[in-house]
């Protein structure tokens, strides 16, 4: 489509969250019977649920493939994340996407929350855009994004850690369609 890069990324987030269900079994450490594709882009690109569904790495790699296909700069970001203030950190992957000259974060897997008892349903009705084109200071779930998503970019397990790449914008992306002006009432 000839939409803006914002609308294209928004569309990709919507598609990936609606055709997949986050593979919570793989994250909970129940790896028996979980195919290795859960960590690959193909798991999210083909739309999967249950033990076949993608984990954060699968979602992130799929978003990167799709953005690059559309000519939108997109890179992987790896580190640790925590969903709420009280939850512990765990290994996590998300994306940085360049829109209108600035870099923003997109966490497609956290935009596709699982629903207890519905692990095999792709579209749960709880898909969202909470983690779509956010900045480092964007507050979500009572935390700035840079607090809930700590960038580490490990080159290998138990090896050198490096932090490089794009610098996120401070605030979330605001397209012209998202910004509303003051209301004028005429009598």
């Amino acid at each position: 489509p000839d939409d803006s890069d914002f609308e294209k990324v928004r569309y990709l987030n919507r598609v990936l969250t609606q055709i997949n269900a986050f593979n919570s079994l793989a994250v909970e450490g129940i790896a028996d019977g979980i195919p290795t594709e859960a960590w690959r882009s193909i798991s999210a690109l083909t739309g999967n649920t249950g033990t076949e569904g993608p984990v954060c790495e699968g979602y992130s790699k799929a978003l990167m493939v799709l953005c690059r296909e559309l000519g939108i700069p997109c890179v992987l970001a790896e580190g640790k994340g925590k969903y709420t203030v009280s939850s512990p950190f765990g290994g996590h992957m998300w994306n940085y996407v360049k829109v209108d000259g600035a870099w923003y974060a997109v966490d497609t897997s956290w935009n596709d929350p699982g629903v207890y008892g519905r692990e095999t349903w792709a579209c749960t009705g709880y898909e969202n855009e909470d983690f779509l084109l956010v900045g480092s200071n964007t507050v979500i779930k009572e935390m700035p994004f840079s607090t809930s998503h700590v960038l580490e970019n490990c080159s290998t397990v138990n090896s050198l850690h490096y932090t490089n790449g794009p610098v996120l914008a401070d605030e979330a992306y605001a397209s012209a369609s998202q910004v509303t002006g003051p209301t004028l009432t005429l009598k």
Side-chain angles (χ1 to χ4, degrees):
D2 292 328
D3 293 329
S4 67
D5 285 350
F6 163 74
E7 289 298 335
K8 290 175 184 175
V9 174
R10 188 178 193 192
Y11 175 79
L12 295 175
N13 177 78
R14 185 170 39 251
V15 168
L16 290 172
T17 60
Q18 290 183 352
I19 67 170
N20 292 292
F22 184 77
N23 190 333
S24 59
L25 293 175
V27 174
E28 293 170 5
I30 306 169
D32 293 341
I34 306 289
T36 58
E37 282 78 18
W39 288 267
R40 297 183 183 152
S41 61
I42 195 70
S43 65
L45 291 172
T46 56
N48 285 288
T49 63
T51 59
E52 305 290 321
V55 296
C56 59
E57 192 170 336
Y59 281 97
S60 299
K61 289 177 178 179
L63 182 64
M64 185 178 69
V65 166
L66 294 170
C67 281
R68 288 185 175 180
E69 189 67 27
L70 295 175
I72 301 169
C74 179
V75 297
L76 298 173
E78 182 183 17
K80 56 188 179 184
K82 62 190 249 169
Y83 196 71
T84 64
V85 173
S86 60
S87 62
F89 277 107
H92 194 48
M93 186 177 279
W94 60 96
N95 299 90
Y96 288 167
V97 180
K98 191 174 186 180
V99 175
D100 292 340
W103 288 91
Y104 300 93
V106 177
D107 191 338
T108 308
S109 62
W110 284 12
N111 283 337
D112 193 13
V115 177
Y116 182 73
R118 297 176 114 181
E119 291 86 1
T120 60
W121 293 20
C123 187
T124 63
Y126 291 92
E127 295 81 8
N128 61 69
E129 297 179 349
D130 293 349
F131 294 91
L132 178 66
L133 297 175
V134 298
S136 60
N137 295 332
T138 304
V139 176
I140 310 162
K141 309 281 184 206
E142 302 178 359
M143 291 179 291
F145 183 82
S146 60
T147 301
S148 66
H149 290 69
V150 178
L151 185 64
E152 291 180 340
N153 283 342
C154 304
S155 59
T156 58
V157 176
N158 298 323
S159 185
L160 176 68
H161 292 253
Y162 62 94
T163 303
N164 62 3
V167 176
L168 284 184
D170 289 334
E171 304 303 325
Y173 180 81
S175 72
S177 65
Q178 292 174 303
V179 178
T180 58
T183 303
L184 177 64
T185 306
L186 299 174
K187 293 186 178 188

